[in-house]
Amino acid sequence: MKEQWEWRKQILSLGLFDLKKTSAGAVLGSFWFFAKPAVYIFCFWFALEVGLKSGNQTGSDVPYILWLMGGLIPWFYMQDILGAGIDVFKRYSYLVTKIKFPLPGIPTIYSISTMIIQAGLVAALLIVFFLCGQTADWYLLQIPVAMVLMFVFFDLFSLMTSCLSAISKDFKNLLQTLSTPLFWLSGVIFDVYSMGIPAIEAILMFNPVTFFVTMYRCAVYDKMWIWEKPEAIIGFVVVFILQLIATTIIYKRTHEEVADVL
């Protein structure tokens, strides 16, 4: 935290630069940041609500598209972290090998650029929310809180996994292999709380993806507070503490070797 605070201006500047660099060379520029999520959302909406009639099974007057977007939009951020975010030291290898830049700040660069895209997707979610005839309420305040928690959690996750990925390519391959199963087994496109299998529901409460998806849906669809589902909070807190401990241990043991390996 100390290193990141001292280098905060450089980290923010590099995060914004990374976003500009990604869209450089494209005529439509930043449009492509939102085109792919929009296509994904439409395809899932068509398959689940039009094809499988899942919207009729919720028993709610709130449009099903809000439930679906409440799960997919946070997943887009987490998917990026589980993709390029698990190996950012190689993505920004020049900061590791050629510049004296603090290692903990490098994952934050990618997290910032990815979170800016997430903020744009949240804005789109709110537009759909109001177009569906919903009115603003206090529950929407859970979204910025969820975004902050998601940023902190996955920034730590990116630091931990990048240290390990720099040491071993097998770890990177393992995480990339698990990305797709994580999507299908995390309640992104199904309701964890209506499974009717208590043991599995209890296990999924320790899945951070499930927690963030639940928090978004509490804000835009369920119209309730996340603390009304204490099992989700308990599971997330336990996982967050364990990850914080693991990240600290792994960073202390590997940060001096990362530059040499790269």
Side-chain angles (χ1 to χ4, degrees):
M1 291 298 296
K2 180 182 178 182
E3 288 179 319
Q4 296 208 45
W5 177 253
E6 292 174 349
W7 289 73
R8 63 189 182 280
K9 294 182 180 180
Q10 294 88 337
I11 291 173
L12 178 59
S13 297
L14 287 170
L16 297 174
F17 175 76
D18 183 75
L19 197 63
K20 294 178 182 178
K21 183 178 67 175
T22 304
S23 61
V27 177
L28 298 179
S30 58
F31 167 79
W32 296 112
F33 292 139
F34 308 101
K36 182 179 178 180
V39 171
Y40 267 68
I41 290 171
F42 173 78
C43 291
F44 274 106
W45 170 80
F46 186 86
L48 295 175
E49 181 168 21
V50 179
L52 298 176
K53 308 296 181 182
S54 298
N56 298 332
Q57 301 172 15
T58 61
S60 175
D61 295 331
V62 181
Y64 180 74
I65 185 65
L66 291 177
W67 184 90
L68 186 61
M69 292 180 70
L72 289 175
I73 284 180
W75 168 252
F76 292 137
Y77 174 82
M78 293 182 277
Q79 184 182 44
D80 286 338
I81 299 298
L82 292 169
I86 63 175
D87 198 19
V88 292
F89 291 153
K90 290 184 179 179
R91 180 184 178 94
Y92 306 100
S93 59
Y94 65 95
L95 293 177
V96 181
T97 59
K98 299 180 180 180
I99 302 175
K100 189 179 179 181
F101 198 90
L103 285 184
I106 297 177
T108 308
I109 294 172
Y110 185 72
S111 297
I112 288 174
S113 62
T114 309
M115 183 53 71
I116 292 173
I117 299 174
Q118 176 68 190
L121 293 174
V122 167
L125 171 61
L126 294 177
I127 291 173
V128 174
F129 178 84
F130 291 117
L131 289 177
C132 288
Q134 304 300 305
T135 56
D137 50 43
W138 293 108
Y139 298 114
L140 292 177
L141 293 176
Q142 294 177 101
I143 294 181
V145 175
M147 292 173 67
V148 172
L149 290 175
M150 192 162 57
F151 180 88
V152 174
F153 181 88
F154 282 99
D155 189 46
L156 282 171
F157 180 81
S158 181
L159 175 59
M160 177 182 69
T161 54
S162 293
C163 288
L164 293 173
S165 296
I167 303 300
S168 173
K169 291 183 179 179
D170 291 329
F171 185 78
K172 174 185 175 181
N173 293 334
L174 172 63
L175 289 178
Q176 290 179 338
T177 301
L178 294 176
S179 178
T180 299
L182 190 63
F183 170 79
W184 292 102
L185 299 176
S186 298
V188 177
I189 58 171
F190 65 89
D191 186 3
V192 173
Y193 297 90
S194 63
M195 295 179 62
I197 309 176
I200 295 180
E201 291 179 9
I203 293 173
L204 289 178
M205 290 302 102
F206 293 92
N207 184 341
V209 177
T210 302
F211 172 78
F212 291 117
V213 166
T214 300
M215 201 166 179
Y216 268 65
R217 284 178 176 152
C218 282
V220 299
Y221 187 84
D222 296 324
K223 301 298 181 69
M224 61 187 300
W225 299 106
I226 186 64
W227 56 75
E228 295 179 47
K229 297 182 177 182
E231 63 278 4
I233 296 179
I234 293 172
F236 174 74
V237 170
V238 170
V239 173
F240 182 85
I241 293 174
L242 291 176
Q243 179 178 260
L244 180 60
I245 296 172
T247 302
T248 303
I249 295 173
I250 290 171
Y251 175 74
K252 286 184 177 181
R253 292 185 177 182
T254 62
H255 73 280
E256 294 181 354
E257 302 177 19
V258 170
D260 295 333
V261 173
L262 294 180

